[in-house]
Amino acid sequence: MPPYAEDPQDVSAPEEGADPGEGAVLDADGDRNGDPRDGTDPRREAFGWTEEAARRRAEAGLVRTLRPRAAESDLLDLAGNDYLGLTHRAEITEAAAEAARRWGAGSTGSRLVTGSTRLHARLERELAEFCGFEAALVFSSGYTANLAALTALSARDGLIVSDAGNHASIVDGCRLSRAETAVVPHADPAAVAKTLAAHPGRRALVVSDSVFSVDGDRAPLAGLAAACREHGAGLVVDDAHGFGVLGDGGRGAVQEAGLAGDPDVVATLTLSKSLGSQGGAVLGPARVIEHLVNAARTFIFDTGLAPAAAGGALASLRLIAAEPALAARARTVAGTLHRLLTDAGLTAVRPDAAVVSVRAPGPNEALRWAADCRELGLGVGCFRPPSVPDGVSRLRLTARADLTDAQIERAVATIVRTAPAGAV
C-alpha cells in the first residue's frame, strides 16, 4: 500500500503551476513581489494567495464558518460529543471550578516543568485503573495524544499500518512519524495481516479507531490483535468514541475486547467526549508511558492540561464508575434513533456505540438539511467530502444518555420533516 497522499480535494492552496491570481506581480524568478511603481503593496502580497484559495473553496462549497454558541440555548444538541450528558452536570462543573480556584486558571508550563499537579497524577492513576491498564499519561487534547503515541512509538525505518477510515489525528500522526505508512481497507484484519507479512523484520504498529467517527461502526479489534501478534506488531487503538459508551460500565472498546492491560496494546482517548471535559490520554504498559514522558514531543513541549479540565474529567470518571447505567443508556438512545429513522424510510447506519449516521443525497443537500434542522431547533452534524473518506455526505447524530424519549421523538420528527428529496 502507498503512504498517505495529500488529499486530492484539498483546496487550501493554489495548485502547482496555477495562475498566481489577478493583481499578482512576478519578478524575474517567478516570485510574487509588490511593485511600488504600480501601487502594489508588498505587505499584502505575502499572503495574497489566500484570496485565490478562498475563491476555490467557495466554488467547491467547502467554506467552513465559526458559529459561536450562547451559554444558554433552546437548541436540542445532537451534534456535540457529550455522550453521557456530563458537560453541564452540577457536580462536574463545580469540580472544575474548585480545581481552578485551588490550582489556578492554567497549568503554568509543560508537564515536565510546572504543568503537572497532584490532580493530574490522580486523574492518570484512576483513569488507568478504571480502563484496566498499567499506566496513563494525560495530554492537552486527544489530538496531541494520538500524535504522541504514533511519533514516539514508531521509527523512521519502521512501518505503520493504518485503517482507511481513521481520524485525521491518526493520519497526521502517521505523517509526522516519518515511518512508512500503509493504508489498508477499512476494518479488514486480513489486509492488515497481509501487509505486515510483506514487511518481515521491521518494527511495526497497527493503528485503528475503535469506533469510527463518521459512521459509528466498530473496528474488529480481536482480529487486529491476532494479526499483530502473528507478526510481532504493536496495536494502537484510538478509543475516543468507545470510552464511556462501550465495555463494562463504559470502560471502553479495548476493555470490551479483552485487550486492556495487554503488553502489546496501547489505547488513546479523549477527555472531551464521554467525560464532558477537555484533554486526552494515552494508556498502556508502564514502560510505554515512561517512554512517552521522555520521547513524545507533544508531551514534552506542550503546556499541560489546565487544572479545571483535569478536575472536571476526574469528577466525571468517578461519576461514570458510580453510575454504570449511563453507558447502556447512551447505546439505547442510539439504537432508538436508528430504529425510528429507518422506520421513516431514511438510510442510517446501525450504530455500534453512540454515533448515528444518516445518508444524504449529496453535499449541498446535506448542508441544507442540517441548516433546516437548526432553524427548527435541532443541532446535527453535517459531514461532506473531503472530510469523509468515502465521499458520501451524511448527517451525523450523537446520542446522549440524558436525552428523554420525548426529545428523541422530536429530533426524529424534525429530521424526517426536513429531509431533502432522495433521502427517503
Side-chain angles (χ1 to χ4, degrees), residues 79-158:
N81 293 315
D82 186 18
Y83 294 141
L84 304 183
L86 301 183
T87 298
H88 291 287
R89 286 264 304 237
E91 54 265 62
I92 308 305
T93 56
E94 178 53 34
E98 175 57 28
R101 285 191 291 265
R102 182 175 183 186
W103 298 99
S107 63
T108 76
S110 72
R111 290 289 308 275
L112 288 170
V113 183
T114 58
S116 289
T117 68
R118 293 178 181 175
L119 187 61
H120 291 80
R122 283 199 297 272
L123 174 59
E124 288 166 341
R125 182 174 63 253
E126 294 189 27
L127 193 59
E129 291 173 355
F130 180 77
C131 295
F133 286 85
E134 272 191 337
L137 191 65
V138 167
F139 290 76
S140 61
S141 70
Y143 208 109
T144 56
N146 272 342
L147 297 188
L150 293 170
T151 57
L153 299 179
S154 61
R156 187 187 293 267
D157 59 350

Side-chain angles (χ1 to χ4, degrees), residues 47 85 163 294 373 419:
F47 298 109
D163 189 287
N294 286 275
C373 285

Side-chain angles (χ1 to χ4, degrees), residues 329-340 342 350-351 353 356 399:
R329 174 60 183 171
R331 297 194 302 270
T332 297
V333 170
T336 302
L337 283 168
H338 174 265
R339 175 176 56 81
L340 294 177
T342 54
R350 185 177 298 278
V356 181

Side-chain angles (χ1 to χ4, degrees), residues 5-80:
E6 293 300 321
D7 190 333
Q9 302 185 69
D10 181 17
V11 292
S12 61
E15 296 176 358
E16 185 177 354
D19 185 341
E22 184 178 356
V25 177
L26 304 183
D27 64 14
D29 297 321
D31 295 329
R32 299 168 186 260
N33 283 298
D35 188 341
R37 293 173 297 181
D38 63 8
T40 303
D41 185 348
R43 296 171 300 177
R44 286 188 54 80
E45 291 306 303
F47 298 109
W49 59 268
T50 60
E51 296 178 7
E52 172 63 12
R55 183 188 66 78
R56 294 172 62 204
R57 279 194 298 271
E59 289 179 350
L62 296 174
V63 176
R64 294 177 171 89
T65 304
L66 293 174
R67 188 185 294 113
R69 60 180 176 85
E72 302 291 338
S73 174
D74 293 330
L75 192 72
L76 178 58
D77 179 22
L78 269 68

Side-chain angles (χ1 to χ4, degrees), residues 30-400:
D31 295 329
R32 299 168 186 260
N33 283 298
D35 188 341
R37 293 173 297 181
D38 63 8
T40 303
D41 185 348
R43 296 171 300 177
R44 286 188 54 80
E45 291 306 303
F47 298 109
W49 59 268
T50 60
E51 296 178 7
E52 172 63 12
R55 183 188 66 78
R56 294 172 62 204
R57 279 194 298 271
E59 289 179 350
L62 296 174
V63 176
R64 294 177 171 89
T65 304
L66 293 174
R67 188 185 294 113
R69 60 180 176 85
E72 302 291 338
S73 174
D74 293 330
L75 192 72
L76 178 58
D77 179 22
L78 269 68
N81 293 315
D82 186 18
Y83 294 141
L84 304 183
L86 301 183
T87 298
H88 291 287
R89 286 264 304 237
E91 54 265 62
I92 308 305
T93 56
E94 178 53 34
E98 175 57 28
R101 285 191 291 265
R102 182 175 183 186
W103 298 99
S107 63
T108 76
S110 72
R111 290 289 308 275
L112 288 170
V113 183
T114 58
S116 289
T117 68
R118 293 178 181 175
L119 187 61
H120 291 80
R122 283 199 297 272
L123 174 59
E124 288 166 341
R125 182 174 63 253
E126 294 189 27
L127 193 59
E129 291 173 355
F130 180 77
C131 295
F133 286 85
E134 272 191 337
L137 191 65
V138 167
F139 290 76
S140 61
S141 70
Y143 208 109
T144 56
N146 272 342
L147 297 188
L150 293 170
T151 57
L153 299 179
S154 61
R156 187 187 293 267
D157 59 350
L159 174 72
I160 299 178
V161 183
S162 179
D163 189 287
N166 279 339
H167 186 262
S169 59
I170 294 177
V171 174
D172 288 352
C174 290
R175 289 171 173 168
L176 289 171
S177 73
R178 293 182 283 188
E180 179 183 354
T181 299
V183 182
V184 294
H186 179 54
D188 190 344
V192 170
K194 182 178 179 180
T195 303
L196 290 172
H199 298 83
R202 295 178 68 177
R203 194 163 101 196
L205 289 177
V206 173
V207 59
S208 176
D209 284 317
S210 64
V211 175
F212 294 90
S213 61
V214 175
D215 272 339
D217 57 318
R218 191 184 322 203
L221 295 185
L224 295 178
C228 288
R229 286 161 185 174
E230 181 181 356
H231 299 283
L235 178 61
V236 177
V237 180
D238 180 354
D239 205 15
H241 297 278
F243 173 65
V245 178
L246 299 178
D248 180 17
R251 285 171 171 79
V254 181
Q255 187 269 348
E256 184 180 54
L259 300 173
D262 285 358
D264 56 349
V265 176
V266 168
T268 65
L269 52 83
T270 175
L271 313 179
S272 63
K273 294 179 172 61
S274 289
L275 294 184
S277 183
Q278 191 163 350
V282 179
L283 300 89
R287 63 182 180 178
V288 169
I289 300 305
E290 189 271 339
H291 177 73
L292 294 182
V293 170
N294 286 275
R297 293 175 66 84
T298 56
F299 180 83
I300 297 169
F301 298 107
D302 191 23
T303 298
L305 184 68
L314 180 59
S316 290
L317 182 64
R318 291 171 175 174
L319 191 150
I320 292 173
E323 299 183 22
L326 284 171
R329 174 60 183 171
R331 297 194 302 270
T332 297
V333 170
T336 302
L337 283 168
H338 174 265
R339 175 176 56 81
L340 294 177
L341 290 165
T342 54
D343 285 349
L346 296 173
T347 301
V349 178
R350 185 177 298 278
D352 284 332
V355 174
V356 181
S357 175
V358 186
R359 301 300 174 94
N364 293 330
E365 292 87 346
L367 193 64
R368 182 72 259 168
W369 197 358
D372 289 345
C373 285
R374 174 171 283 274
E375 289 182 6
L376 295 180
L378 175 67
V380 297
C382 175
F383 280 26
R384 302 170 294 151
S387 296
V388 289
D390 59 4
V392 177
S393 298
R394 69 262 281 168
L395 298 187
R396 179 182 180 275
L397 319 178
T398 50
R400 294 204 326 265

